[in-house]
Amino acid sequence: MEKKALLVISFGTSYPETRKKTITATENRLKEAFPDHDFYRAFTSRMIINKLKSRDNESVDTPQEALKKLKTAGYTHVQCQTTHIINGYEYDITLKELKAFEKDFASLTLGRPLLTTVEDYEETVDIVMKQMPKLKKGEALVYMGHGSDHHANSTYPCLDYMFKMKGHEDVYVGTVEGFPELENIVPLLLEKKYKKIYLAHFMLVAGDHAINDMASDEEDSWRTVLEEQRFKVECILEGLGEYTGIQNMFLDHLKKAQPVTEM
């Protein structure tokens, strides 16, 4: 007898308000589309899992822990969807953990991260630009991505190029922990003589990076750095997971999920 489960795998966040708006909202969208599957959640960030346990006494499984429970509970078919943005370290670890269970279920599938195909980039640009203020003359939009020393960091300059290709010449993509950094973007902003910069968050949740690294009064926050260059700055504290279009993209990836044996 078939027993089906849906496992949604996110990096996680310790900020409950943005978690509800982003991760939970995305999970709910996927659950609605697969009503015959029992829902399970997993986070890949051990740091966040430990913080939630010690601070809130809230338990969240790692993907490995979740799959062990599903195996013990007798599930036969497990569909997994990651809510990661790029095919980086977190995705690599997730896939490795899933592959260890590939013989334990009749089927075990995984949907890819948000930005995987060229079509993903095009669709994402269209979705997020509908959520942003319409830029006027003298205004620019700068996105803060996470960044990585993984080769998948190439996602961010590719995304920047896609914004330009689709006619958004005043949109720039930077990263906190990769390339390009804000210091690579500031000279471009100065050269174009912008007066106002919108800062927006290119991560699933608007958590620590959005609140502290992007929008805070700290001397090295992106807002502070840009204001020191005499730009007027407005921060948009929204995670990508809040947008219905992004949630639907993850749903589309789930519907196209591949068996982990083929990945």
Side-chain angles (χ1 to χ4, degrees):
M1 182 176 178
E2 290 187 352
K3 191 176 181 181
K4 301 177 181 179
L6 168 64
L7 176 61
V8 181
I9 303 167
S10 304
F11 180 82
T13 179
S14 61
Y15 290 80
E17 186 174 326
T18 189
R19 183 167 70 235
K20 182 178 180 180
K21 293 179 181 178
T22 57
I23 294 175
T24 302
T26 301
E27 291 170 341
N28 288 340
R29 182 70 187 94
L30 303 184
K31 285 163 61 176
E32 291 169 3
F34 287 82
D36 59 336
H37 287 59
D38 296 329
F39 170 74
Y40 290 83
R41 165 190 281 177
F43 287 173
T44 58
S45 173
R46 274 60 173 176
M47 181 181 69
I48 289 173
I49 290 172
N50 292 336
K51 185 173 183 178
L52 291 174
K53 183 63 177 177
S54 61
R55 187 191 70 187
D56 305 330
N57 197 31
E58 180 179 348
S59 296
V60 181
D61 290 329
T62 64
Q64 184 180 48
E65 291 168 343
L67 288 169
K68 284 181 179 178
K69 289 181 179 179
L70 294 174
K71 177 183 175 182
T72 301
Y75 283 93
T76 57
H77 295 72
V78 181
Q79 289 196 241
C80 305
Q81 177 59 48
T82 171
T83 65
H84 297 119
I85 304 302
I86 69 172
N87 291 259
Y89 287 121
E90 298 293 328
Y91 175 75
D92 287 349
I93 293 169
T94 297
L95 181 57
K96 183 178 179 180
E97 289 189 4
L98 265 61
K99 278 183 172 291
F101 292 86
E102 61 186 15
K103 296 180 180 179
D104 294 319
F105 304 97
S107 69
L108 177 61
T109 63
L110 177 62
R112 297 299 293 266
L114 181 70
L115 295 176
T116 299
T117 67
V118 173
E119 290 75 20
D120 289 338
Y121 285 80
E122 292 179 318
E123 188 173 355
T124 298
V125 166
D126 289 341
I127 290 168
V128 299
M129 290 310 295
K130 290 178 182 177
Q131 304 294 330
M132 293 296 107
K134 186 173 178 62
L135 297 178
K136 301 173 184 175
K137 185 177 181 180
E139 296 181 344
L141 168 63
V142 177
Y143 270 111
M144 171 189 274
H146 191 281
S148 173
D149 60 3
H150 190 279
H151 58 79
N153 185 80
S154 58
T155 295
Y156 298 101
C158 179
L159 181 64
D160 184 279
Y161 193 90
M162 183 60 75
F163 276 110
K164 307 295 192 293
M165 285 288 292
K166 293 185 73 67
H168 306 293
E169 294 291 338
D170 300 312
V171 178
Y172 302 82
V173 179
T175 68
V176 185
E177 298 180 14
F179 176 86
E181 298 177 282
L182 181 61
E183 66 181 32
N184 304 120
I185 296 174
V186 168
L188 303 178
L189 303 177
L190 291 170
E191 182 181 353
K192 290 286 190 73
K193 298 181 179 179
Y194 294 111
K195 302 298 182 183
K196 180 176 180 177
I197 308 296
Y198 288 96
L199 278 179
H201 196 58
F202 203 88
M203 302 182 208
L204 187 78
V205 303
D208 188 65
H209 286 300
I211 294 167
N212 296 314
D213 296 325
M214 189 180 83
S216 73
D217 293 328
E218 296 176 11
E219 64 178 8
D220 60 346
S221 79
W222 285 26
R223 182 175 70 81
T224 299
V225 170
L226 290 171
E227 286 179 342
E228 287 177 349
Q229 294 291 336
R230 304 300 175 88
F231 294 113
K232 181 179 179 181
V233 180
E234 182 174 334
C235 296
I236 301 171
L237 292 172
E238 297 174 347
L240 295 178
E242 296 184 42
Y243 305 148
T244 301
I246 297 297
Q247 296 167 14
N248 288 336
M249 284 186 65
F250 283 121
L251 175 57
D252 183 60
H253 285 206
L254 175 60
K255 290 178 178 178
K256 297 176 181 176
Q258 297 176 280
V260 296
T261 53
E262 300 175 7
M263 302 176 80

